[in-house]
Amino acid sequence: MEYKDYYKILGVERSADADAIKASYRKMARKYHPDVSKEKDAEDRFKDLQEAYEVLKDPEKRAAYDQLGSNWRAGQDFRPPPGWGQQAGGGFGGGGADFGGGGFSDFFESIFRQQQGGGFRGSGGGGFRNQGEDSEATIRVSLEDAAHGAQREINLEVPTMGPDGRMRREARHLTVKIPKGIRAGQRLRMAGQGAPGMGGGPNGDLYLHIQFQPHPRFRVEGSDLYHDLHITPWEAALGASVEVPTLDGDVRMKIPAGSASGQKLRLSQKGLPGSGGKAPGDLYAVIQIVVPKKISEPEKTLWNQLAEISDFHPRR
C-alpha cells in the first residue's frame, strides 16, 4: 500500500498546532467538497482531507502516526514496522479499535486497526468514537427580533453521513431562539446540529452567524440606530413637534427652530437593547429638509412674497 503524508495532504508543517490544522482543513474542504468543486479528483481529495484531519486533529492518533517518522514519502510503498500495534504506552494496548463503517484507506487501517495482541485504543475504551465537525451557517435577523427576542423556524442544508459512508448535505428544519439584544456578527450555537460523528460518536455543533436584515427606516451602527427624518422647510425654520419611529413604536420629538439638514437629534436609549450589562444604544434622527417638487399658484405667490421680504442670504 502507499504511504500517506497527512501533513502534506492538509498543506501544513509537521510542527503545526491544532488551530493551524483546523484552519487549513476547513479551507481545503470548502475547495474540494464534491458538492461545489469542479476538480475532477475532488471526491478523492475530499476523502483524503477527511482522513488526514481525522488523524491530525486527535493528539493520540497524531502521536501514533508521528511514531512512523518523517522519512517516508507520499506514494512510497509502505508496510507497518514489525510489532506495530503491540507497543507499550502511547495509547497502544489491549482492546483494539472498531472503526464502525470504515471509509478509510488501507494505509489508515494498517496503522490503527486492531492488531493481534493489541491495537489503537479509541475513546471509550473499546471503539473509535469521534465527535463530528462543527458546521457554520448565516441567518438574517430583523432588528425587531434582535430588539425584543424571538423564536423563529428556519430551513438549512447541513452535512450528514449518507448510507454509503460519504458526507452529503441534507435539508433540515430548525427552531432557533434569538436572544434579546443580539448583535450582527455574533454567533448562536445549536448543540448537536453539526456534522455527524464517526463510529457512533456525537454530532458536532452548528454555529449560526447573525446578520441583520436591511431595514426600511433604520441604519445600524453598533447598538445605535439612525433614522432619516424628513421635515418641511417651514418646520425647519419655525420648529415643530413631529412623530419619529422607534423599534417600540412612534414617539414625538421637538424640532428646534432653525434646524438644518444633517443635524442629529438624539433619543436616549431608543436604539438596540444593551447586552452583557451594557446600556441600550441611542436613536439618532438625522434631519433631512425636503422641498416640494410641485406647488400650487397660491403657494408660489407666498414663496415669492417670502423671497422679497427675507434678508436671509445663505451664500454670503
Side-chain angles (χ1 to χ4, degrees), residues 26 134-142 145-146 149-154 156 158 174-194 204-212 275:
R26 287 187 171 180
D134 293 337
S135 302
E136 298 181 3
T138 299
I139 62 171
R140 288 178 172 263
V141 175
S142 70
D145 285 350
Q151 184 168 292
R152 292 288 179 261
E153 306 295 318
I154 64 172
L156 292 174
V158 297
L174 298 175
T175 300
V176 179
K177 184 177 181 180
I178 301 167
K180 179 179 178 179
I182 196 167
R183 296 285 187 270
Q186 290 184 327
R187 301 192 306 173
L188 290 178
R189 175 175 171 263
M190 304 285 287
Q193 296 295 336
D205 298 329
L206 172 63
Y207 288 91
L208 299 176
H209 293 261
I210 301 299
Q211 289 184 358
F212 286 154
S275 60

Side-chain angles (χ1 to χ4, degrees), residues 14 26 30 40 74 102 109 145 196 227 229 246 253 262-263 267 274 282 286 310:
R14 296 184 75 88
R26 287 187 171 180
R30 285 193 295 267
K40 293 182 179 180
E109 294 192 0
D145 285 350
H227 169 71
L229 181 62
T246 76
M253 170 179 277
Q263 183 175 337
L267 287 172
D282 299 325
V286 184
S310 177

Side-chain angles (χ1 to χ4, degrees), residues 10-41:
L10 285 179
V12 297
E13 299 293 332
R14 296 184 75 88
S15 59
D17 61 17
D19 289 339
I21 289 172
K22 184 176 184 178
S24 183
Y25 167 73
R26 287 187 171 180
K27 178 181 178 181
M28 297 184 73
R30 285 193 295 267
K31 178 179 180 181
Y32 290 107
H33 196 289
D35 290 345
V36 297
S37 178
K38 296 181 180 179
E39 302 285 342
K40 293 182 179 180
D41 59 347

Side-chain angles (χ1 to χ4, degrees), residues 109-133:
E109 294 192 0
S110 73
I111 301 174
F112 299 118
R113 68 188 174 192
Q114 182 175 349
Q115 302 282 338
Q116 182 177 2
F120 187 85
R121 185 191 298 272
S123 60
F128 174 27
R129 292 169 51 82
N130 274 342
Q131 179 172 332
E133 283 297 297

Side-chain angles (χ1 to χ4, degrees), residues 201-225:
N203 290 354
D205 298 329
L206 172 63
Y207 288 91
L208 299 176
H209 293 261
I210 301 299
Q211 289 184 358
F212 286 154
Q213 296 173 354
H215 199 281
R217 290 184 168 185
F218 304 111
R219 299 185 302 277
V220 184
E221 292 186 16
S223 60
D224 296 331
L225 300 178

Side-chain angles (χ1 to χ4, degrees), residues 2-311:
E2 294 184 353
Y3 174 80
K4 287 184 176 289
D5 188 336
Y6 290 139
Y7 292 100
K8 184 176 181 180
I9 289 172
L10 285 179
V12 297
E13 299 293 332
R14 296 184 75 88
S15 59
D17 61 17
D19 289 339
I21 289 172
K22 184 176 184 178
S24 183
Y25 167 73
R26 287 187 171 180
K27 178 181 178 181
M28 297 184 73
R30 285 193 295 267
K31 178 179 180 181
Y32 290 107
H33 196 289
D35 290 345
V36 297
S37 178
K38 296 181 180 179
E39 302 285 342
K40 293 182 179 180
D41 59 347
E43 186 171 331
D44 291 336
R45 293 288 295 271
F46 188 70
K47 289 173 66 176
D48 282 345
L49 287 170
Q50 288 183 304
E51 181 175 308
Y53 186 58
E54 183 60 45
V55 172
L56 299 186
K57 75 175 182 180
D58 184 286
E60 194 175 2
K61 288 196 286 296
R62 183 179 179 180
Y65 174 74
D66 286 345
Q67 288 183 35
L68 296 174
S70 59
N71 295 325
W72 295 92
R73 294 182 180 179
Q76 186 177 356
D77 187 56
F78 173 80
R79 289 292 181 272
W84 182 261
Q86 300 179 19
Q87 306 171 47
F92 287 81
D98 173 14
F99 295 102
F104 296 105
S105 68
D106 291 341
F107 171 74
F108 179 97
E109 294 192 0
S110 73
I111 301 174
F112 299 118
R113 68 188 174 192
Q114 182 175 349
Q115 302 282 338
Q116 182 177 2
F120 187 85
R121 185 191 298 272
S123 60
F128 174 27
R129 292 169 51 82
N130 274 342
Q131 179 172 332
E133 283 297 297
D134 293 337
S135 302
E136 298 181 3
T138 299
I139 62 171
R140 288 178 172 263
V141 175
S142 70
L143 290 183
E144 287 78 7
D145 285 350
H148 305 124
Q151 184 168 292
R152 292 288 179 261
E153 306 295 318
I154 64 172
N155 294 305
L156 292 174
E157 283 193 349
V158 297
T160 187
M161 188 72 73
D164 56 359
R166 296 179 180 177
M167 296 295 294
R168 63 181 184 181
R169 302 194 70 81
E170 178 183 80
R172 187 176 298 174
H173 183 80
L174 298 175
T175 300
V176 179
K177 184 177 181 180
I178 301 167
K180 179 179 178 179
I182 196 167
R183 296 285 187 270
Q186 290 184 327
R187 301 192 306 173
L188 290 178
R189 175 175 171 263
M190 304 285 287
Q193 296 295 336
M198 304 186 69
N203 290 354
D205 298 329
L206 172 63
Y207 288 91
L208 299 176
H209 293 261
I210 301 299
Q211 289 184 358
F212 286 154
Q213 296 173 354
H215 199 281
R217 290 184 168 185
F218 304 111
R219 299 185 302 277
V220 184
E221 292 186 16
S223 60
D224 296 331
L225 300 178
Y226 289 79
H227 169 71
D228 288 335
L229 181 62
H230 296 171
I231 63 173
T232 64
W234 48 92
E235 287 175 328
L238 302 174
S241 177
V242 301
E243 287 191 343
V244 177
T246 76
L247 292 175
D248 296 316
D250 293 347
V251 298
R252 296 203 71 83
M253 170 179 277
K254 183 178 179 180
I255 307 298
S259 293
S261 282
Q263 183 175 337
K264 298 175 183 177
L265 304 178
R266 182 170 71 100
L267 287 172
S268 178
Q269 298 192 358
K270 287 297 184 180
L272 292 173
S275 60
K278 295 182 180 180
D282 299 325
L283 188 151
Y284 292 90
V286 184
I287 291 178
Q288 304 292 340
I289 299 174
V290 181
V291 176
K293 293 183 178 180
K294 294 181 179 181
I295 56 177
S296 64
E297 286 300 320
E299 288 174 323
K300 186 175 181 180
T301 299
L302 291 173
W303 281 108
N304 284 326
Q305 291 177 0
L306 177 62
E308 291 175 1
I309 65 174
S310 177
D311 59 359

